[in-house]
Every structure is written in structure tokens, then in C-alpha cells.
Amino acid sequence: MNAIIRTEGLTKHFRNNPAVDGLSLHVNKGEIYGFLGLNGAGKTTTIRMLLGMIRPDSGSSYLFGQRVDAGSHKLWADVGYMVETPYSYPELTVLENLEIIRRLRGIPDRDAIDTVMDKLQLTPYRDRKAGNLSLGNGQRLGLAKALLHNPKVLILDEPTNGLDPAGIVEVRQLLLELAANHGVTIFISSHILGEVARLTTRIGIVHRGKLLQETDVKNLQHLLQKRLLVQTRNPEAARLKLIQEGYQVKMSADGLLLSEDHSIANPDRIAKLLVNAHMPPIQLTVQEEDLETYFLRMIEIEGGSKG
Ligand SMILES: Nc1ncnc2c1ncn2[C@@H]1O[C@H](COP(=O)(O)OP(=O)(O)OP(=O)(O)O)[C@@H](O)[C@H]1O
């Protein structure tokens, strides 16, 4: 099998509450996998188990086909990670923090630090103490530490936390480039579907510790609900006319809403019908559910409720 990251039935309870519950997933080489869930869904706990930082109650995780456990030291040479708020030594500069990681990782090439600072736009801050960095630049330093040794796998917990919109775009481009040109396999957690949809190839939705749904990002468009919005000068009369013609219609503050597939596929028929009935539509628009609404709908449908 081609899976670089794999979990099988991963389970962890805290005080009898399941934080992660029988979670199985896999990520293939060069794939960018978006691990999506609300706060408290179990993302960080999963990542901590993937990295061998905490021991699962049951189930296992595998990196490069090797089981992760306390003894798997050799694995980490090829893994870069950033979990929650990245910890740096606040009294040391950006350069000194990276120098510590370079030595810890046993990287002989001193230029690796300049290269990674350049990649993450940290060069202007090289002599600034880590404790005095903005949240976004602290996050970049965390990413720089994760990338310093050119890992084959990157595991990142909410990596764009604290970044401004330009920073989010930069980090996204960097990660896309690493996957496309260097075959790096990336596992990234987030609570924003709109953001991960732009970056990842596959998405797993986690809720209350369970994997609710996995989908290829290219299929996402088909999964989004669509509806036809019809606005007329006399919505009540138009509604009655459409119902009389066999359409299902809902009244909303914006206008009439039609959700059946045949309505959405043939708005021209509806326009013609209303014109012939002397109530021409002012506007007729196919609206598509946005990604965050879809995400919340999945959680409500499959998870019971949002909680
Ligand atoms: N060390 C711990 N002790 C007790 N409960 C914990 C511990 N770590 C996590 N939990 C609980 O486990 C559940 C999952 O938490 P986790 O941090 O994995 O979620 P998350 O999806 O990463 O959320 P966030 O985005 O808020 O970090 C939550 O209910 C959390 O309160």
C-alpha cells in the first residue's frame, strides 16, 4: 500500500469521554489531506497520537508503514510537525531558535536556516526575540522549524492560525509547492473548510472524535446543495402558480426558493411559465451552498447535532 500516514481504529478517552473514537484514515504520498473539525472535535489529540506524543487507548498509527510507538526514533528524521501554538524560546532570536533546531536535528548545512527563513519571509526578523514576534510571525517560525530538515511528511495543526490573509496565501502556496514539486505528504488540521478546500486534495471531517466523511476535494462541488431563487413583484401569486404546476416552492425573505433537481436544471422553464402567467421574474438565480454551510450541515446530519 502507498499510504504514508495511516491510522487504524485510533481511540483515546479523557476521563471516560472519547476525544478520538475508532478513527481510521490514510494519506498517500504527495497528497495534502485536510483534517477538518470544530474546536474540540479531536484533531489535536489525533495528531498527538500520530506523532507518538500520547499513547492511544487502542488502535495504532503508522508512518511510512512503520508503527508509531515510543521506540520509533528513526521515523522522526523524515517528519516535520507543528502542534497547536508552536513553542519557541521567547528570549532567543528567530535565528537562535532555528540554530537550536538545526543542531538538535543534526543538520550539517548551516545555509538551511537562511533558506527556510527566506521561504517563510522571516529574514527581516532574524534578530528579533521570538517572544516579541507577532502571532503570525510566531506561526511562521513554527513552520520554519517544521521545515528546516526538508521532511518527507509534514503534520500541521491549524498552521494558519494568527496569519493575516496575505500570510495565509503565502503558506498555502508554500505547502502546495512542497507537495507538487518535492512529493511531500501533508496532513493539515483546520476548522475552516473554505481554507482547506483551496489547499488539499482530500478532506476528512471529524466530529466528536469520529471520522464522519471523507471526500476528494474535486467532488466537493457536486456535494454542495443548490437552489433556485426566484424574485417576482407578487411572490404569493407566483408561488401559487408554481405549486399549481407541480413545483415545490418555499417562501423566504429573499424570494421563492426551489430545491428540486429538475427546477435547478431548467430555470428557463420556470421563467417562461411565469412570463406566460404575466408575472415575469425580476431575478432568477441558481444559488450554491457555501463550504462552511456544507460543513455544518454534514456535522448536523451525520453527527446528530453540532455540540
Ligand atoms: N489532556 C486532556 N485532558 C482532558 N481532556 C482533553 C485533553 N486533551 C483534549 N481533551 C478533550 O478532548 C476533546 C478533543 O480535543 P482536541 O484538542 O483533540 O480537539 P481539537 O479538534 O484539536 O480542538 P481545538 O481546535 O480546539 O484544539 C475535547 O473535548 C478536549 O476538551
Side-chain angles (χ1 to χ4, degrees), residues 14-15 19 37-46 84 157-158:
F14 292 110
R15 292 181 219 102
L38 301 175
N39 289 342
K43 304 181 297 292
T44 304
T45 307
T46 303
E84 288 184 323
D157 194 11
E158 306 257 0

Side-chain angles (χ1 to χ4, degrees), residues 141-159:
L141 177 56
L143 278 169
K145 292 196 296 190
L147 287 172
L148 190 64
H149 58 300
N150 294 321
K152 294 185 184 135
V153 167
L154 262 181
I155 297 177
L156 306 173
D157 194 11
E158 306 257 0

Side-chain angles (χ1 to χ4, degrees), residues 34-216:
F35 193 47
L36 198 77
L38 301 175
N39 289 342
K43 304 181 297 292
T44 304
T45 307
T46 303
I47 288 179
R48 286 184 180 281
M49 287 191 279
L50 256 181
L51 292 167
M53 291 173 173
I54 53 173
R55 195 190 289 269
D57 295 339
S58 59
S60 327
S61 42
Y62 301 84
L63 290 171
F64 311 102
Q66 280 184 59
R67 190 176 170 146
V68 174
D69 56 39
S72 40
H73 302 297
K74 276 202 346 222
L75 278 177
W76 310 119
D78 290 321
V79 180
Y81 60 88
M82 188 171 85
V83 185
E84 288 184 323
T85 310
Y87 179 77
S88 298
Y89 298 101
E91 286 304 314
L92 300 184
T93 65
V94 166
L95 186 68
E96 287 162 346
N97 268 285
L98 289 169
E99 180 60 21
I100 288 176
I101 301 295
R102 187 183 74 79
R103 290 187 196 182
L104 278 175
R105 288 267 183 198
I107 304 166
D109 178 13
R110 283 167 179 267
D111 293 342
I113 293 182
D114 286 337
T115 309
V116 86
M117 281 197 301
D118 188 43
K119 258 188 200 161
L120 286 148
Q121 326 269 334
L122 277 171
T123 311
Y125 307 98
R126 69 202 300 266
D127 297 319
R128 184 168 303 183
K129 283 184 182 174
N132 295 339
L133 291 174
S134 66
L135 190 59
N137 282 330
Q139 200 75 3
R140 285 168 203 260
L141 177 56
L143 278 169
K145 292 196 296 190
L147 287 172
L148 190 64
H149 58 300
N150 294 321
K152 294 185 184 135
V153 167
L154 262 181
I155 297 177
L156 306 173
D157 194 11
E158 306 257 0
T160 51
N161 255 356
L163 291 176
D164 58 23
I168 292 175
V169 173
E170 272 164 33
V171 168
R172 189 190 308 147
Q173 278 164 354
L174 173 70
L175 297 178
L176 284 168
E177 196 265 336
L178 286 171
N181 299 339
H182 302 277
V184 177
T185 306
I186 303 177
F187 184 92
I188 175 171
S189 81
S190 176
H191 60 279
I192 306 171
L193 177 54
E195 186 187 317
V196 289
R198 293 204 189 95
L199 171 66
T200 57
T201 39
R202 208 144 53 85
I203 286 173
I205 295 181
V206 62
H207 188 56
R208 294 184 178 154
K210 287 196 163 79
L211 193 65
L212 295 185
Q213 192 194 42
E214 273 188 314
T215 181
D216 283 346

